[in-house]
Amino acid sequence: AQRVTQPEKLLSVFKGAPVELKCNYSYSGSPELFWYVQYSRQRLQLLLRHISRESIKGFTADLNKGETSFHLKKPFAQEEDSAMYYCALSGSQAGTALIFGKGTTLSVSS
Amino acid sequence: DTAVSQTPKYLVTQMGNDKSIKCEQNLGHDTMYWYKQDSKKFLKIMFSYNNKELIINETVPNRFSPKSPDKAHLNLHINSLELGDSAVYFCASSQGTSGGNYEQYFGPGTRLTVT
């Protein structure tokens, strides 16, 4: 079954602390993995995708096929990082949409 | 110059009514989607259209009917609204039918409340 699991509903950290948002997936082919972010009262937007292997706003994510994980990391959290983060998966073949995890709310306080 | 727009932003209606939500994208994309975000913030695909053709139709009650008059528009019509339909509905678009290579751009969402 195709599934994305984000085990933490809420992650609270202090400003400057490291952050790791966990994401595990289950997929029977070669998935494409993404992190989407939704800031308060804003639309959902793409943060990272594994295929581009880039760092956005200090966040990185590495696809670990052995552990079927795509954890999102940032060494030093900022208050403006507070948002809802969704891990999502898609197949590479035509006609597939995004399968989202249930999301993790990141709260960064000073 | 909003990329993906939805109207209305808020919709409050009574059970049994029929309502529509409109979505338009000006990105020149050929694939559009409807997602539902429930009260627990869980996002799930409902429909996807590519070049006006339905390509994804998840297990959604047939009271929900998407319509794509052209590549830039994907509307969602809901008949006989029920309390459980209360949610935020997001429209999205992407350049291709594969989620892999193409980022999906989301609209601001339509918050539907059924009373």
Side-chain angles (χ1 to χ4, degrees), chain B residues 11-80:
Chain B
L11 183 54
V12 181
T13 188
Q14 290 185 327
M15 279 173 48
N17 285 347
D18 303 338
K19 290 292 177 187
S20 292
I21 306 171
K22 296 187 177 182
C23 177
E24 177 181 2
Q25 53 94 4
N26 62 5
L27 297 166
H29 290 166
D30 54 14
T31 305
M32 296 184 73
Y33 311 80
W34 277 111
Y35 290 87
K36 179 180 179 180
Q37 186 180 45
D38 64 21
S39 58
K40 295 181 180 176
K41 303 281 189 182
F42 183 44
L43 269 164
K44 192 173 178 186
I45 182 72
M46 298 174 71
F47 302 103
S48 175
Y49 269 73
N50 175 254
N51 284 319
K52 302 195 298 176
E53 191 177 322
L54 182 66
I55 55 171
I56 293 176
N57 184 355
E58 288 296 306
T59 310
V60 175
N62 57 16
R63 298 182 295 103
F64 289 78
S65 53
K67 285 187 172 53
S68 183
D70 55 57
K71 267 178 33 168
H73 295 85
L74 179 61
N75 303 323
L76 183 65
H77 188 76
I78 315 170
N79 288 329
S80 303

Side-chain angles (χ1 to χ4, degrees), chain A residues 23-101:
Chain A
C23 172
N24 288 89
Y25 66 90
S26 171
Y27 190 75
S28 56
S30 293
E32 316 266 356
L33 274 297
F34 306 83
W35 278 98
Y36 277 79
V37 60
Q38 188 175 27
Y39 299 102
S40 179
R41 297 198 175 106
Q42 292 188 30
R43 66 187 68 200
L44 206 64
Q45 54 189 291
L46 178 67
L47 181 65
L48 281 178
R49 57 187 130 183
H50 91 270
I51 203 169
S52 56
R53 302 179 68 82
E54 56 194 347
S55 172
I56 305 290
K57 299 184 179 182
F59 285 98
T60 58
D62 289 318
L63 180 60
N64 185 323
K65 290 185 180 179
E67 295 182 359
T68 59
S69 69
F70 188 56
H71 303 327
L72 183 68
K73 299 178 185 178
K74 184 168 182 176
F76 307 103
Q78 303 298 316
E79 288 181 75
E80 55 265 30
D81 296 328
S82 296
M84 174 74 107
Y85 292 80
Y86 290 95
C87 183
L89 167 160
S90 171
S92 54
Q93 64 271 35
T96 56
L98 289 168
I99 298 168
F100 286 92

